Amino acid sequence: MRDFIVLAIILGATPICFFRPYFGLLMWTWVGYFNPHRFTWGAAYNFPVALVIGGATLVGLPFAKDTNRRILTFQTILILSLWAWFGVTTMHAALDPVLVHHIEYTKLEFIRISKILLMTVLMIWLVSSRDRLHYLFLVTAFSFGIIAIKGALFGWITSGQFRVYGPPDSFIEDNNALGLAFNMMLPVFYYMARTEPKKWIRWFLHTSFYCTILASILTYSRGALLGLGVVLIALALKSRHKVLAGLLLVACAWSVISFAPGRWMERMGDFFHGNLDNSAELRLNAWRFSFELAKHYPITGGGLQTFTPQLYQRYTPELEYAGPHSIYFQTLGEHGFVGLSIFLLLLGSCLAGLMRLRRQAQVLPSAEWIIPYTDMLQVSLLAYMISGAFLELAYFDLFYQVVASVILLKILYRNELELALRNIVEAPIQIPTAEVVEA
Protein backbone atom coordinates (compact mmCIF):
# COMPACT_ATOMS: atom_id res chain seq x y z
CA MET A 1 0.00 0.00 0.00
CA ARG A 2 2.81 2.42 0.89
CA ASP A 3 4.56 1.66 -2.40
CA PHE A 4 1.41 2.43 -4.36
CA ILE A 5 0.88 5.74 -2.55
CA VAL A 6 4.49 6.90 -3.00
CA LEU A 7 4.61 5.91 -6.68
CA ALA A 8 1.23 7.55 -7.29
CA ILE A 9 2.46 10.81 -5.74
CA ILE A 10 5.76 10.79 -7.65
CA LEU A 11 4.30 9.84 -11.03
CA GLY A 12 1.33 12.14 -10.58
CA ALA A 13 3.59 15.07 -9.73
CA THR A 14 6.00 14.51 -12.63
CA PRO A 15 3.97 16.31 -15.34
CA ILE A 16 3.36 19.22 -12.95
CA CYS A 17 7.13 19.46 -12.38
CA PHE A 18 7.54 19.68 -16.15
CA PHE A 19 5.16 22.61 -16.59
CA ARG A 20 5.88 24.25 -13.20
CA PRO A 21 9.62 23.92 -12.44
CA TYR A 22 9.24 25.74 -9.12
CA PHE A 23 6.86 22.98 -8.01
CA GLY A 24 9.50 20.52 -9.21
CA LEU A 25 12.03 22.24 -6.93
CA LEU A 26 9.67 21.78 -3.97
CA MET A 27 9.19 18.12 -4.87
CA TRP A 28 12.96 17.66 -5.16
CA THR A 29 13.36 19.21 -1.70
CA TRP A 30 10.74 16.88 -0.22
CA VAL A 31 12.24 13.80 -1.87
CA GLY A 32 15.80 14.79 -0.93
CA TYR A 33 15.09 15.36 2.77
CA PHE A 34 12.12 13.18 3.65
CA ASN A 35 13.03 10.25 1.33
CA PRO A 36 9.44 8.93 1.16
CA HIS A 37 10.46 5.90 -0.91
CA ARG A 38 12.73 4.71 1.91
CA PHE A 39 9.68 4.14 4.10
CA THR A 40 8.44 1.42 1.76
CA TRP A 41 9.47 -2.19 1.26
CA GLY A 42 8.58 -2.98 -2.35
CA ALA A 43 9.02 -1.54 -5.82
CA ALA A 44 9.06 2.07 -4.63
CA TYR A 45 12.11 1.55 -2.37
CA ASN A 46 14.63 1.60 -5.23
CA PHE A 47 12.54 3.63 -7.63
CA PRO A 48 14.65 6.56 -8.99
CA VAL A 49 12.40 9.25 -7.53
CA ALA A 50 15.08 11.96 -7.57
CA LEU A 51 15.93 11.22 -11.20
CA VAL A 52 12.28 11.35 -12.27
CA ILE A 53 11.47 14.56 -10.38
CA GLY A 54 14.78 16.26 -11.15
CA GLY A 55 14.67 15.26 -14.81
CA ALA A 56 11.14 16.58 -15.31
CA THR A 57 12.09 19.83 -13.57
CA LEU A 58 15.19 20.37 -15.71
CA VAL A 59 13.41 19.57 -18.97
CA GLY A 60 10.61 21.94 -18.03
CA LEU A 61 12.88 24.93 -17.31
CA PRO A 62 11.78 26.72 -20.54
CA PHE A 63 8.30 26.90 -18.96
CA ALA A 64 9.61 28.62 -15.82
CA LYS A 65 8.02 31.97 -15.04
CA ASP A 66 8.93 34.80 -12.66
CA THR A 67 12.57 33.80 -12.29
CA ASN A 68 15.48 35.79 -10.87
CA ARG A 69 17.45 37.33 -13.71
CA ARG A 70 20.37 38.77 -11.74
CA ILE A 71 21.60 35.95 -9.54
CA LEU A 72 25.27 36.86 -9.48
CA THR A 73 26.49 37.65 -5.96
CA PHE A 74 29.78 37.03 -4.17
CA GLN A 75 28.38 33.81 -2.70
CA THR A 76 27.15 32.67 -6.12
CA ILE A 77 30.67 33.09 -7.49
CA LEU A 78 32.06 31.10 -4.55
CA ILE A 79 29.61 28.23 -5.11
CA LEU A 80 30.50 28.07 -8.80
CA SER A 81 34.21 28.32 -7.95
CA LEU A 82 33.92 25.47 -5.46
CA TRP A 83 32.07 23.36 -8.02
CA ALA A 84 34.73 24.08 -10.64
CA TRP A 85 37.48 23.23 -8.15
CA PHE A 86 35.83 19.89 -7.44
CA GLY A 87 36.17 19.22 -11.16
CA VAL A 88 39.84 20.21 -11.12
CA THR A 89 40.65 17.90 -8.19
CA THR A 90 38.72 15.09 -9.85
CA MET A 91 40.78 15.44 -13.04
CA HIS A 92 43.99 15.61 -11.01
CA ALA A 93 43.11 12.38 -9.20
CA ALA A 94 42.49 10.69 -12.55
CA LEU A 95 45.95 11.68 -13.81
CA ASP A 96 48.00 10.98 -10.66
CA PRO A 97 49.19 7.34 -10.42
CA VAL A 98 49.10 7.46 -6.61
CA LEU A 99 45.47 8.61 -6.49
CA VAL A 100 44.01 6.85 -9.50
CA HIS A 101 43.04 3.75 -7.49
CA HIS A 102 39.94 5.53 -6.15
CA ILE A 103 39.01 7.41 -9.33
CA GLU A 104 35.78 5.44 -9.93
CA TYR A 105 34.48 6.43 -6.51
CA THR A 106 35.71 9.97 -7.12
CA LYS A 107 33.73 10.25 -10.36
CA LEU A 108 30.56 8.87 -8.77
CA GLU A 109 30.88 11.31 -5.88
CA PHE A 110 31.50 14.21 -8.26
CA ILE A 111 28.32 13.34 -10.18
CA ARG A 112 26.30 13.16 -6.95
CA ILE A 113 27.64 16.49 -5.69
CA SER A 114 27.08 18.09 -9.10
CA LYS A 115 23.39 17.17 -8.88
CA ILE A 116 23.14 18.91 -5.51
CA LEU A 117 24.93 22.03 -6.75
CA LEU A 118 22.89 22.12 -9.96
CA MET A 119 19.66 22.12 -7.96
CA THR A 120 21.18 24.76 -5.68
CA VAL A 121 21.73 27.04 -8.66
CA LEU A 122 18.19 26.32 -9.88
CA MET A 123 16.91 27.20 -6.42
CA ILE A 124 18.60 30.60 -6.69
CA TRP A 125 17.04 31.09 -10.12
CA LEU A 126 13.49 29.87 -9.41
CA VAL A 127 12.78 31.25 -5.91
CA SER A 128 11.91 34.76 -7.01
CA SER A 129 9.63 36.04 -4.24
CA ARG A 130 9.07 36.15 -0.52
CA ASP A 131 6.22 33.63 -0.80
CA ARG A 132 8.29 31.17 -2.80
CA LEU A 133 11.06 31.30 -0.20
CA HIS A 134 8.47 30.76 2.53
CA TYR A 135 7.02 27.69 0.81
CA LEU A 136 10.50 26.27 0.24
CA PHE A 137 11.25 26.37 3.96
CA LEU A 138 7.79 25.07 4.81
CA VAL A 139 8.46 21.97 2.69
CA THR A 140 11.87 21.61 4.34
CA ALA A 141 10.33 22.03 7.80
CA PHE A 142 7.58 19.47 7.17
CA SER A 143 10.12 16.97 5.79
CA PHE A 144 12.39 17.11 8.82
CA GLY A 145 9.56 17.80 11.28
CA ILE A 146 7.84 14.48 10.58
CA ILE A 147 11.17 12.65 10.96
CA ALA A 148 11.80 14.46 14.25
CA ILE A 149 8.33 13.68 15.63
CA LYS A 150 8.73 10.06 14.58
CA GLY A 151 12.14 9.90 16.28
CA ALA A 152 10.87 11.51 19.47
CA LEU A 153 7.93 9.08 19.66
CA PHE A 154 10.30 6.16 19.09
CA GLY A 155 12.55 7.42 21.89
CA TRP A 156 9.57 7.90 24.21
CA ILE A 157 8.23 4.39 23.56
CA THR A 158 11.66 2.75 24.00
CA SER A 159 12.62 4.95 26.98
CA GLY A 160 15.57 6.28 24.99
CA GLN A 161 17.46 3.00 25.09
CA PHE A 162 18.08 2.97 21.34
CA ARG A 163 19.54 5.46 18.91
CA VAL A 164 17.41 7.47 16.51
CA TYR A 165 18.40 7.07 12.87
CA GLY A 166 17.22 8.70 9.66
CA PRO A 167 15.58 7.05 6.64
CA PRO A 168 17.66 4.07 5.44
CA ASP A 169 19.98 4.55 2.47
CA SER A 170 19.63 8.31 2.68
CA PHE A 171 21.97 11.23 3.30
CA ILE A 172 20.79 11.40 6.92
CA GLU A 173 20.61 7.68 7.72
CA ASP A 174 23.61 7.89 10.05
CA ASN A 175 22.76 9.08 13.55
CA ASN A 176 25.52 11.71 13.44
CA ALA A 177 24.29 13.15 10.14
CA LEU A 178 20.72 13.18 11.42
CA GLY A 179 21.83 15.01 14.55
CA LEU A 180 23.52 17.67 12.43
CA ALA A 181 20.38 18.09 10.30
CA PHE A 182 18.22 18.41 13.42
CA ASN A 183 20.48 21.12 14.83
CA MET A 184 20.34 23.05 11.56
CA MET A 185 16.55 22.78 11.51
CA LEU A 186 15.94 23.98 15.07
CA PRO A 187 16.23 27.70 14.15
CA VAL A 188 14.03 27.07 11.11
CA PHE A 189 11.23 25.67 13.29
CA TYR A 190 11.71 28.42 15.87
CA TYR A 191 11.63 31.45 13.57
CA MET A 192 9.02 30.15 11.16
CA ALA A 193 6.68 29.41 14.06
CA ARG A 194 7.00 33.07 15.13
CA THR A 195 6.03 34.44 11.74
CA GLU A 196 3.61 31.81 10.39
CA PRO A 197 0.02 33.18 10.17
CA LYS A 198 -1.78 29.81 10.04
CA LYS A 199 -2.47 28.34 13.46
CA TRP A 200 -2.21 24.64 12.54
CA ILE A 201 1.15 25.19 10.87
CA ARG A 202 2.40 27.09 13.91
CA TRP A 203 1.31 24.16 16.07
CA PHE A 204 3.23 21.74 13.85
CA LEU A 205 6.36 23.92 13.89
CA HIS A 206 6.28 24.29 17.69
CA THR A 207 5.81 20.54 18.10
CA SER A 208 8.62 19.84 15.66
CA PHE A 209 10.92 22.20 17.54
CA TYR A 210 10.59 20.39 20.87
CA CYS A 211 10.59 16.93 19.28
CA THR A 212 13.75 17.85 17.39
CA ILE A 213 15.54 18.66 20.64
CA LEU A 214 14.61 15.28 22.09
CA ALA A 215 15.35 13.39 18.86
CA SER A 216 18.72 15.13 18.49
CA ILE A 217 19.72 14.04 22.00
CA LEU A 218 18.58 10.49 21.26
CA THR A 219 20.79 10.20 18.19
CA TYR A 220 23.54 9.53 20.76
CA SER A 221 25.80 11.77 18.68
CA ARG A 222 28.30 13.72 20.74
CA GLY A 223 28.93 16.17 17.92
CA ALA A 224 25.19 16.74 17.67
CA LEU A 225 24.96 17.25 21.44
CA LEU A 226 27.66 19.91 21.32
CA GLY A 227 25.96 21.60 18.38
CA LEU A 228 22.58 21.40 20.11
CA GLY A 229 23.94 23.25 23.13
CA VAL A 230 25.40 26.00 20.94
CA VAL A 231 22.16 26.37 18.95
CA LEU A 232 19.97 26.59 22.04
CA ILE A 233 22.28 29.18 23.61
CA ALA A 234 22.27 31.20 20.37
CA LEU A 235 18.47 31.09 20.20
CA ALA A 236 18.26 32.15 23.84
CA LEU A 237 20.56 35.12 23.22
CA LYS A 238 18.50 36.19 20.20
CA SER A 239 15.22 35.77 22.08
CA ARG A 240 13.23 38.79 23.22
CA HIS A 241 12.87 37.11 26.63
CA LYS A 242 16.49 36.22 27.35
CA VAL A 243 16.06 35.55 31.08
CA LEU A 244 13.14 33.18 30.57
CA ALA A 245 14.94 31.47 27.69
CA GLY A 246 18.01 31.05 29.87
CA LEU A 247 15.99 29.49 32.68
CA LEU A 248 14.33 27.09 30.23
CA LEU A 249 17.76 26.16 28.87
CA VAL A 250 19.06 25.39 32.36
CA ALA A 251 15.93 23.34 33.08
CA CYS A 252 16.40 21.43 29.84
CA ALA A 253 20.03 20.63 30.68
CA TRP A 254 19.07 19.51 34.19
CA SER A 255 16.31 17.27 32.81
CA VAL A 256 18.69 15.62 30.37
CA ILE A 257 21.27 14.86 33.04
CA SER A 258 18.66 13.70 35.56
CA PHE A 259 16.45 11.54 33.36
CA ALA A 260 18.74 10.39 30.54
CA PRO A 261 18.77 6.60 30.05
CA GLY A 262 21.78 4.66 31.28
CA ARG A 263 23.01 3.74 27.82
CA TRP A 264 23.00 7.39 26.81
CA MET A 265 24.94 8.44 29.93
CA GLU A 266 27.42 5.65 29.33
CA ARG A 267 27.91 6.89 25.75
CA MET A 268 28.39 10.50 26.86
CA GLY A 269 30.38 9.75 30.01
CA ASP A 270 33.82 10.00 28.45
CA PHE A 271 32.73 13.06 26.50
CA PHE A 272 31.63 14.88 29.66
CA HIS A 273 34.88 13.98 31.42
CA GLY A 274 37.14 14.93 28.52
CA ASN A 275 38.34 11.38 27.89
CA LEU A 276 38.91 9.98 24.40
CA ASP A 277 37.40 6.66 23.38
CA ASN A 278 38.20 4.70 20.21
CA SER A 279 35.79 6.78 18.12
CA ALA A 280 37.48 10.02 19.17
CA GLU A 281 40.91 8.52 18.51
CA LEU A 282 39.84 7.59 14.99
CA ARG A 283 38.73 11.17 14.39
CA LEU A 284 42.16 12.44 15.41
CA ASN A 285 43.75 9.87 13.10
CA ALA A 286 41.62 11.09 10.21
CA TRP A 287 42.48 14.72 10.85
CA ARG A 288 46.19 13.95 10.99
CA PHE A 289 46.00 11.91 7.78
CA SER A 290 44.16 14.75 6.07
CA PHE A 291 46.92 17.19 6.99
CA GLU A 292 49.68 14.81 5.90
CA LEU A 293 47.97 14.23 2.56
CA ALA A 294 47.51 17.97 2.08
CA LYS A 295 51.24 18.46 2.69
CA HIS A 296 51.94 16.20 -0.31
CA TYR A 297 49.11 17.71 -2.42
CA PRO A 298 48.73 21.25 -1.05
CA ILE A 299 46.99 22.65 -4.14
CA THR A 300 44.52 19.95 -5.17
CA GLY A 301 44.40 17.45 -2.33
CA GLY A 302 43.65 13.83 -3.15
CA GLY A 303 40.27 14.31 -4.82
CA LEU A 304 36.85 13.18 -3.71
CA GLN A 305 36.70 9.92 -1.70
CA THR A 306 40.46 10.07 -1.09
CA PHE A 307 40.30 8.71 2.46
CA THR A 308 41.33 5.14 1.56
CA PRO A 309 43.32 2.43 3.39
CA GLN A 310 45.92 2.51 0.59
CA LEU A 311 46.71 6.19 1.16
CA TYR A 312 46.68 5.72 4.93
CA GLN A 313 49.30 3.00 4.48
CA ARG A 314 51.36 5.26 2.26
CA TYR A 315 51.32 8.51 4.25
CA THR A 316 50.40 7.55 7.84
CA PRO A 317 51.12 3.80 8.20
CA GLU A 318 51.15 4.05 11.98
CA LEU A 319 47.51 5.21 12.13
CA GLU A 320 44.36 3.13 12.08
CA TYR A 321 42.15 3.85 9.07
CA ALA A 322 39.13 6.14 9.49
CA GLY A 323 36.91 8.36 7.35
CA PRO A 324 37.35 12.15 7.38
CA HIS A 325 34.96 12.93 10.32
CA SER A 326 35.09 16.69 9.78
CA ILE A 327 33.81 19.03 7.09
CA TYR A 328 37.03 21.03 7.39
CA PHE A 329 39.54 18.17 7.24
CA GLN A 330 37.41 16.43 4.62
CA THR A 331 37.67 19.50 2.38
CA LEU A 332 41.38 19.89 3.14
CA GLY A 333 42.22 16.26 2.34
CA GLU A 334 40.07 16.06 -0.78
CA HIS A 335 40.65 19.51 -2.28
CA GLY A 336 43.81 20.90 -0.70
CA PHE A 337 44.33 24.29 0.83
CA VAL A 338 42.75 26.01 -2.18
CA GLY A 339 39.50 24.07 -1.79
CA LEU A 340 39.49 24.64 1.97
CA SER A 341 40.05 28.37 1.48
CA ILE A 342 37.07 28.65 -0.89
CA PHE A 343 34.91 26.62 1.51
CA LEU A 344 35.86 28.75 4.53
CA LEU A 345 35.38 31.93 2.53
CA LEU A 346 31.90 30.74 1.57
CA LEU A 347 31.02 30.13 5.23
CA GLY A 348 32.46 33.44 6.41
CA SER A 349 30.91 35.48 3.60
CA CYS A 350 27.47 34.01 4.34
CA LEU A 351 27.68 34.97 8.01
CA ALA A 352 28.97 38.45 7.18
CA GLY A 353 26.35 38.87 4.45
CA LEU A 354 23.54 38.00 6.85
CA MET A 355 24.76 40.56 9.38
CA ARG A 356 24.87 43.22 6.67
CA LEU A 357 21.42 42.27 5.39
CA ARG A 358 19.95 42.55 8.87
CA ARG A 359 21.26 46.11 9.24
CA GLN A 360 19.99 47.09 5.79
CA ALA A 361 16.55 45.56 6.33
CA GLN A 362 16.10 47.46 9.59
CA VAL A 363 16.02 50.80 7.75
CA LEU A 364 13.75 49.67 4.89
CA PRO A 365 10.19 49.03 6.13
CA SER A 366 9.19 46.89 3.14
CA ALA A 367 12.16 44.56 3.82
CA GLU A 368 11.59 44.00 7.55
CA TRP A 369 10.36 40.46 6.81
CA ILE A 370 13.98 39.60 5.93
CA ILE A 371 15.21 40.12 9.51
CA PRO A 372 13.86 36.82 10.98
CA TYR A 373 15.40 34.97 8.03
CA THR A 374 18.83 36.46 8.75
CA ASP A 375 18.66 35.30 12.39
CA MET A 376 17.38 31.87 11.34
CA LEU A 377 20.09 31.28 8.76
CA GLN A 378 22.85 32.59 11.04
CA VAL A 379 22.04 30.05 13.73
CA SER A 380 21.59 27.29 11.15
CA LEU A 381 25.04 28.03 9.72
CA LEU A 382 26.47 28.08 13.23
CA ALA A 383 25.00 24.62 13.86
CA TYR A 384 26.58 23.34 10.66
CA MET A 385 29.98 24.82 11.52
CA ILE A 386 30.00 23.40 15.07
CA SER A 387 28.48 19.94 14.57
CA GLY A 388 30.11 19.62 11.15
CA ALA A 389 33.54 19.87 12.76
CA PHE A 390 33.05 16.22 13.77
CA LEU A 391 31.20 14.90 10.69
CA GLU A 392 32.05 14.22 7.04
CA LEU A 393 29.21 16.26 5.54
CA ALA A 394 31.02 18.92 3.53
CA TYR A 395 28.54 18.30 0.68
CA PHE A 396 25.35 18.27 2.74
CA ASP A 397 22.46 19.49 0.58
CA LEU A 398 20.79 21.29 3.50
CA PHE A 399 23.93 23.41 3.91
CA TYR A 400 23.78 24.44 0.26
CA GLN A 401 20.11 25.33 0.66
CA VAL A 402 21.11 27.68 3.47
CA VAL A 403 23.79 29.24 1.26
CA ALA A 404 21.30 29.59 -1.59
CA SER A 405 18.88 31.25 0.84
CA VAL A 406 21.51 33.83 1.78
CA ILE A 407 21.91 34.66 -1.91
CA LEU A 408 18.12 34.81 -2.33
CA LEU A 409 17.74 37.21 0.56
CA LYS A 410 20.30 39.52 -1.06
CA ILE A 411 18.42 39.35 -4.37
CA LEU A 412 15.01 39.91 -2.76
CA TYR A 413 16.34 42.79 -0.65
CA ARG A 414 17.71 44.39 -3.81
CA ASN A 415 14.29 44.03 -5.42
CA GLU A 416 12.58 45.60 -2.40
CA LEU A 417 15.05 48.50 -2.43
CA GLU A 418 14.59 49.13 -6.15
CA LEU A 419 10.80 49.06 -5.75
CA ALA A 420 10.97 51.52 -2.86
CA LEU A 421 13.19 53.90 -4.85
CA ARG A 422 10.92 53.63 -7.88
CA ASN A 423 7.89 54.46 -5.76
CA ILE A 424 9.65 57.54 -4.45
CA VAL A 425 10.58 58.72 -7.94
CA GLU A 426 7.10 58.05 -9.34
CA ALA A 427 5.25 59.59 -6.39
CA PRO A 428 3.06 62.50 -7.60
CA ILE A 429 4.22 65.98 -6.71
CA GLN A 430 1.71 67.81 -4.53
CA ILE A 431 0.97 71.21 -6.14
CA PRO A 432 -0.55 73.77 -3.75
CA THR A 433 -4.09 74.83 -4.58
CA ALA A 434 -5.00 78.42 -5.26
CA GLU A 435 -6.61 78.85 -1.84
CA VAL A 436 -3.44 77.69 -0.12
CA VAL A 437 -1.29 80.01 -2.24
CA GLU A 438 -3.52 83.00 -1.48
CA ALA A 439 -3.47 82.20 2.22
Side-chain angles (χ1 to χ4, degrees):
M1 185 62 179
R2 289 189 186 183
D3 292 81
F4 175 78
I5 294 175
V6 170
L7 289 176
I9 293 174
I10 297 300
L11 296 178
T14 301
I16 305 177
C17 297
F18 177 76
F19 291 105
R20 295 289 185 269
Y22 171 70
F23 178 80
L25 176 66
L26 297 182
M27 285 295 298
W28 171 276
T29 302
W30 176 62
V31 166
Y33 296 145
F34 186 63
N35 296 273
H37 53 304
R38 300 308 187 192
F39 293 96
T40 64
W41 296 280
Y45 188 89
N46 291 313
F47 189 78
V49 292
L51 178 63
V52 172
I53 295 298
T57 302
L58 291 172
V59 174
L61 286 179
F63 297 98
K65 299 178 181 179
D66 301 324
T67 58
N68 292 314
R69 300 301 179 183
R70 295 176 295 167
I71 65 172
L72 199 62
T73 67
F74 184 57
Q75 289 77 19
T76 312
I77 295 173
L78 288 176
I79 288 181
L80 296 177
S81 299
L82 199 59
W83 193 358
W85 193 249
F86 293 164
V88 170
T89 60
T90 298
M91 288 188 291
H92 173 261
L95 298 173
D96 192 299
V98 176
L99 305 173
V100 74
H101 68 278
H102 63 75
I103 189 59
E104 293 304 320
Y105 297 102
T106 301
K107 291 178 180 178
L108 290 174
E109 185 71 357
F110 179 71
I111 292 172
R112 186 183 66 82
I113 295 169
S114 294
K115 293 176 183 177
I116 294 174
L117 293 176
L118 175 60
M119 296 307 292
T120 300
V121 174
L122 289 183
M123 185 182 298
I124 299 170
W125 188 49
L126 293 172
V127 180
S128 56
S129 67
R130 172 184 179 180
D131 288 339
R132 287 191 172 189
L133 183 63
H134 179 71
Y135 292 138
L136 174 65
F137 273 101
L138 273 186
V139 171
T140 305
F142 271 87
S143 300
F144 282 106
I146 294 174
I147 295 174
I149 293 172
K150 176 177 175 292
L153 289 175
F154 170 78
W156 182 270
I157 293 171
T158 60
S159 301
Q161 294 297 325
F162 301 96
R163 301 185 187 187
V164 172
Y165 292 93
D169 296 321
S170 71
F171 219 143
I172 54 174
E173 175 185 12
D174 179 70
N175 64 311
N176 297 296
L178 183 62
L180 169 63
F182 281 158
N183 288 342
M184 292 182 68
M185 286 304 299
L186 272 175
V188 176
F189 295 134
Y190 178 80
Y191 283 103
M192 292 198 69
R194 291 176 56 183
T195 58
E196 174 57 46
K198 295 181 180 179
K199 184 176 181 180
W200 71 272
I201 297 181
R202 286 202 309 272
W203 177 88
F204 175 82
L205 293 170
H206 283 299
T207 303
S208 298
F209 177 81
Y210 293 109
C211 287
T212 297
I213 295 175
L214 177 59
S216 179
I217 294 172
L218 293 179
T219 60
Y220 282 62
S221 170
R222 289 168 291 193
L225 182 65
L226 179 61
L228 176 63
V230 172
V231 168
L232 291 179
I233 291 173
L235 291 177
L237 292 175
K238 287 179 175 290
S239 171
R240 290 171 294 184
H241 309 286
K242 293 181 174 57
V243 175
L244 178 60
L247 292 175
L248 290 175
L249 187 59
V250 172
C252 179
W254 177 82
S255 300
V256 170
I257 296 175
S258 300
F259 301 104
R263 293 182 64 180
W264 188 89
M265 289 301 297
E266 181 181 350
R267 168 74 175 168
M268 301 297 169
D270 291 334
F271 176 70
F272 286 140
H273 292 91
N275 299 323
L276 298 179
D277 60 6
N278 183 62
S279 176
E281 291 286 355
L282 289 178
R283 279 180 167 81
L284 295 178
N285 290 350
W287 299 350
R288 181 180 168 188
F289 164 78
S290 175
F291 187 73
E292 291 296 327
L293 182 64
K295 285 167 58 178
H296 288 81
Y297 298 98
I299 305 299
T300 61
L304 295 163
Q305 297 292 312
T306 198
F307 286 74
T308 64
Q310 294 93 322
L311 291 178
Y312 260 79
Q313 187 61 34
R314 184 182 183 91
Y315 295 112
T316 53
E318 72 282 4
L319 299 180
E320 184 180 354
Y321 168 75
H325 288 297
S326 170
I327 57 175
Y328 308 111
F329 285 98
Q330 180 181 12
T331 306
L332 174 63
E334 294 185 344
H335 308 292
F337 288 99
V338 174
L340 179 62
S341 298
I342 300 174
F343 182 70
L344 293 177
L345 188 57
L346 180 60
L347 285 170
S349 67
C350 285
L351 290 174
L354 289 170
M355 293 174 63
R356 190 181 308 112
L357 268 172
R358 179 182 174 82
R359 291 195 300 269
Q360 293 171 334
Q362 287 174 336
V363 296
L364 183 63
S366 62
E368 287 183 347
W369 64 269
I370 291 177
I371 296 176
Y373 277 101
T374 62
D375 290 332
M376 178 181 83
L377 296 177
Q378 273 185 336
V379 181
S380 189
L381 276 174
L382 185 63
Y384 179 72
M385 294 170 68
I386 298 298
S387 294
F390 307 96
L391 301 171
E392 49 190 280
L393 286 171
Y395 319 111
F396 192 24
D397 41 2
L398 182 58
F399 162 65
Y400 286 103
Q401 178 179 329
V402 171
V403 174
S405 299
V406 175
I407 297 171
L408 288 168
L409 288 181
K410 295 179 73 171
I411 295 172
L412 295 175
Y413 170 78
R414 184 174 59 201
N415 294 343
E416 294 280 7
L417 180 61
E418 291 177 352
L419 180 60
L421 293 176
R422 187 160 56 247
N423 289 338
I424 293 175
V425 172
E426 295 177 356
I429 300 175
Q430 297 294 330
I431 301 176
T433 62
E435 291 82 0
V436 175
V437 172
E438 292 176 358

